[in-house]
Amino acid sequence: MKTWIELNTNKHPQQYGFKYIRRGPGTHYVLNTEHNRNVCTKELGITPAQLSEKGYSGHKDNSDIIDAYYTKNLTKFPAFHHQKAALKKANLRKFFAFFMEQGTGKTKTALDEFAILKELGRVDSLLIICPNIARMVWYEQMFLHLDTSLLGLNSGKVFVNKETGKYNDVTECKVFITNYESILQSRKARKALDQWIIHQDAIYMITDESHSVKSIKAKQTKECIEIREEVEYIRELSGTPIGNSNEDLFSQFHLLSKTIWQGLNYFTFTDRYLKMGGFGGHSVIGHQNEDEIQEIMNMHSYIVKKEDCLDLPDKIRVRIPVHLSKKATKSYTTALEEVKKQYTQIKNNQKEVNTLAISTKLRQLASGLLKTSDTTYDILFEDKVDATINLIKTMGKNKVLIWCEYRAEITEIYKRLEAEFPGETLYMHGGNSNKRNEILHEFEHSKRFLVVQARTASTAVTMNFVHTVINFSNSFNSIETSQKEDRCHRIGQKHNVTYYNMVTVNSADENVMKSLESKTKFSNNQLNGAQQLINDMLK
C-alpha cells in the first residue's frame, strides 16, 4: 500500500525512502520501500504509526518555533490567542487557509507567518493577490506589522512609470502586491508578475478575499491556479469563504492544492457533495455528505468568528420604517405601474429581460429616484432622505457612516447634510476611490459624516472609531452586508455599534431586507435576488 506524505524538510527526500513524484507547491512523495523507514520518520519528526496504510499528510509540530517568534519580540504588535492558534494549526505547512471573520486580524496572522518562514530561510519573497481596492491597505499593513530590516524587504512599490507607460524593474523587489483584475485584464501587469516570479527562489503567496476565486470556470481562477504552481507556500484569506453553497469551496481548496479533493474534479465533486436541480439541473438545491466537507475544511483551514475570539461590544440592529406621504405614495405607484408595463411588453415580445436593470429600477424607486437617462435622475419624493436627516438630528455629535447603493442617493444625502451641517460631510464612490485613504483620514480626524457607496469601501477598511451606521439602501449580497458591518465592528471598537436600516414600507426595500434576514440561497447572489424581487413585485 502506497503511503503519501507532504514533506517539511530541506533534506533530500530520496535519502529517506521516498520516491520523487512531481515538483511544485504541495509536492507529494510516495514511500516506496521499507528500507530506512525509521530514519525517515526520525527526520520528519513523526512516528512509524503515523505512516499508516491510510496515508499521512502532515508535519512535525512547529508550535515551539511559532512561540519563539513571539518570545523574541520580532513582531511589532502582540498577537491575540486566536491568531497564535491559527498559526499553530497551519503549522508552517505548504498550503492552508485562514477563514477568519472580518475584524479578527487575519492580515497580521498571515504576515507573522511569512516573517517566521523568512527567518527560517524557507521563503525569501512575498506575493499578495487581493481585490484592487485593498492593494494600498496591504502595502501599509506590510510595513506596519513586519520588521523590514530583519526581513530585508525592498520598500519600493511595483508601479507603472507614468512617462514610459512601462513597469519599473521588479527583479530587485522582494514583495509584489497585485490585484485579481490586473492579472486577468492587464498584459503589462501579468508580464511584470511573471518577470518577478522568475527572479525569486521561494515565494509565500497570499490570496486575500479568496471567495473571489470561487468559480472554477472563471478565467480569473485559472490564472490564479497557474500562478500558484510557481510558489512554495500559499495562504488563502477570507471571512466569508462560503457564499451561496459548498460549491464555492471547490475552487478555493483546489487553488490551495490539487490533492485536497483526492482526485475529484468539479463534476465528480458536485455529484458527491451537492444536490443539483432547477433549469437544466445547473442550480444547487441542496447538500450531501456535509460531514466530509466539514472534515476537509477543518483539516486545511482555521475558522473563527469574532464572537468566539474577541470581547467586542454588541451589534445593535434597528429597522427604521419610512412611511410615504400620500403625494409620495401616488408618485411611487405611478412609477411602479410604468415599470410593470415595460416588463410586460418585454415578456410579450419574447425579448430577453434585463433582470438586474429592472431590479435596480425597483430599488431606486424605493429611495425616491427614477432614472430618466444614463446620468439623469428625477426625484419623485424625498421622504426617505427626510427620514434619514431627521434620524441624524437625534444623534448628538456622533460620527455617522451612511452606506448607499447608488451614486444618486449619495448626491441627494450629501446635499441635505451640507445644508443642515455645513462643512461636516464627506462622500465617496467609485469615481473618487483613488483618494480613499485621504477621505478616510479626514473623516476620522475632522469630519462628522461620511456618505459612501458599498462597493467602494466594504473591504480593506478599518473604521472602528465609528459606532453609528445608517444603511440607506442594501443589496441582496449578504457577504457585502457582512463586510460593511465589519468595517466598524472589529478589533479596537470600544462601543456598541448601532446599524439603522432605512426601509421604505411596501417597497423593494422590504423584499431586500427579507432576503438578507432569512439568509436564503438568494441572499448572496445579485442575479437570483433580482429575479426573486421581480417575481414578488411585478407578477
Side-chain angles (χ1 to χ4, degrees), residues 461-473:
V461 170
T462 295
M463 288 186 276
N464 51 20
F465 53 89
V466 178
H467 51 89
T468 303
V469 181
I470 295 176
N471 293 317
F472 185 81
S473 54

Side-chain angles (χ1 to χ4, degrees), residues 226-294:
E226 182 178 313
I227 294 168
R228 190 265 179 271
E229 292 296 325
E230 305 297 329
V231 308
E232 293 297 319
Y233 290 81
I234 180 171
R235 292 295 179 266
E236 289 184 354
L237 277 58
S238 178
T240 49
I242 303 176
N244 291 326
S245 73
N246 288 338
E247 180 183 19
D248 297 339
L249 293 174
F250 177 79
S251 61
Q252 292 183 73
F253 281 123
H254 187 74
L255 174 61
L256 277 182
S257 173
K258 295 177 180 178
T259 65
I260 289 178
W261 294 118
Q262 301 174 356
L264 295 181
N265 60 32
Y266 173 75
F267 300 102
T268 52
F269 171 88
T270 56
D271 287 342
R272 181 160 187 80
Y273 297 115
L274 306 175
K275 296 178 181 178
M276 309 299 288
F279 181 76
H282 298 302
S283 300
V284 179
I285 61 174
H287 300 90
Q288 56 192 4
N289 297 319
E290 291 189 74
D291 56 333
E292 293 183 14
I293 289 279
Q294 192 61 50

Side-chain angles (χ1 to χ4, degrees), residues 11 14 278 281 344 351 393 419 446 472 474 494 502 510:
K11 301 294 184 181
Q14 281 88 335
T344 302
K351 293 182 179 180
K393 289 179 179 179
S446 61
F472 185 81
N474 286 292
K494 299 178 181 179
M502 309 302 296
E510 291 190 329

Side-chain angles (χ1 to χ4, degrees), residues 339 343 353-363 406 474-477 508 511-512 515 520-539:
V339 175
Y343 176 75
V353 177
N354 189 332
T355 307
L356 289 177
I358 294 176
S359 168
T360 297
K361 185 171 288 188
L362 290 171
R363 288 187 286 148
Y406 308 107
N474 286 292
S475 76
F476 287 98
N477 193 324
N511 298 76
V512 174
S515 176
T520 66
K521 64 183 178 181
F522 302 109
S523 296
N524 302 311
N525 189 297
Q526 187 77 1
L527 185 60
N528 286 339
Q531 185 61 61
Q532 187 67 21
L533 175 61
I534 291 172
N535 294 342
D536 291 343
M537 299 193 67
L538 299 185
K539 290 186 177 180

Side-chain angles (χ1 to χ4, degrees), residues 104-309:
T104 57
K106 57 183 177 292
T107 299
K108 172 181 168 54
T109 304
L111 291 175
D112 280 355
E113 186 179 46
F114 168 71
I116 296 171
L117 290 168
K118 175 74 174 181
E119 188 182 45
L120 293 172
R122 297 183 189 176
V123 298
D124 73 325
S125 48
L126 175 63
L127 169 62
I128 300 170
I129 305 179
C130 59
N132 183 44
I133 205 167
R135 282 187 304 167
M136 284 306 300
V137 175
W138 269 103
Y139 182 75
E140 293 165 356
Q141 289 292 308
M142 182 180 69
F143 290 101
L144 176 65
H145 290 291
L146 298 182
D147 186 337
T148 55
S149 61
L150 169 70
L151 301 176
L153 295 176
N154 188 318
S155 60
K157 290 184 291 184
V158 177
F159 59 94
V160 175
N161 186 305
K162 293 182 179 179
E163 295 181 1
T164 64
K166 297 180 180 180
Y167 273 83
N168 291 340
D169 180 37
V170 299
T171 58
E172 298 300 321
C173 295
K174 303 308 293 182
V175 177
F176 197 109
I177 305 175
T178 188
N179 58 294
Y180 294 107
E181 297 84 355
S182 289
I183 63 175
L184 178 62
Q185 299 172 3
S186 171
R187 290 184 180 180
K188 289 182 179 179
R190 184 57 196 273
K191 183 178 180 181
L193 176 57
D194 290 341
Q195 181 187 3
W196 179 82
I197 289 174
I198 290 172
H199 289 82
Q200 311 311 314
D201 294 324
I203 302 171
Y204 182 95
M205 174 178 171
I206 295 173
T207 56
D208 189 21
E209 306 296 349
S210 64
H211 51 266
S212 299
V213 294
K214 64 184 180 181
S215 174
I216 195 65
K217 302 174 185 176
K219 187 176 180 181
Q220 180 170 284
T221 302
K222 295 176 181 177
E223 292 288 333
C224 288
I225 291 174
E226 182 178 313
I227 294 168
R228 190 265 179 271
E229 292 296 325
E230 305 297 329
V231 308
E232 293 297 319
Y233 290 81
I234 180 171
R235 292 295 179 266
E236 289 184 354
L237 277 58
S238 178
T240 49
I242 303 176
N244 291 326
S245 73
N246 288 338
E247 180 183 19
D248 297 339
L249 293 174
F250 177 79
S251 61
Q252 292 183 73
F253 281 123
H254 187 74
L255 174 61
L256 277 182
S257 173
K258 295 177 180 178
T259 65
I260 289 178
W261 294 118
Q262 301 174 356
L264 295 181
N265 60 32
Y266 173 75
F267 300 102
T268 52
F269 171 88
T270 56
D271 287 342
R272 181 160 187 80
Y273 297 115
L274 306 175
K275 296 178 181 178
M276 309 299 288
F279 181 76
H282 298 302
S283 300
V284 179
I285 61 174
H287 300 90
Q288 56 192 4
N289 297 319
E290 291 189 74
D291 56 333
E292 293 183 14
I293 289 279
Q294 192 61 50
E295 184 179 351
I296 290 171
M297 285 192 70
N298 289 337
M299 185 183 302
H300 299 292
S301 66
Y302 178 80
I303 305 170
V304 70
K305 295 183 177 180
K306 282 185 294 188
E307 59 262 30
D308 299 328
C309 64

Side-chain angles (χ1 to χ4, degrees), residues 32-52:
N32 65 343
T33 174
E34 290 297 315
H35 183 63
N36 288 337
R37 186 180 181 91
N38 291 332
V39 177
C40 162
T41 54
K42 181 180 179 181
E43 169 64 26
L44 297 176
I46 55 179
T47 66
Q50 288 175 308
L51 284 172
S52 64

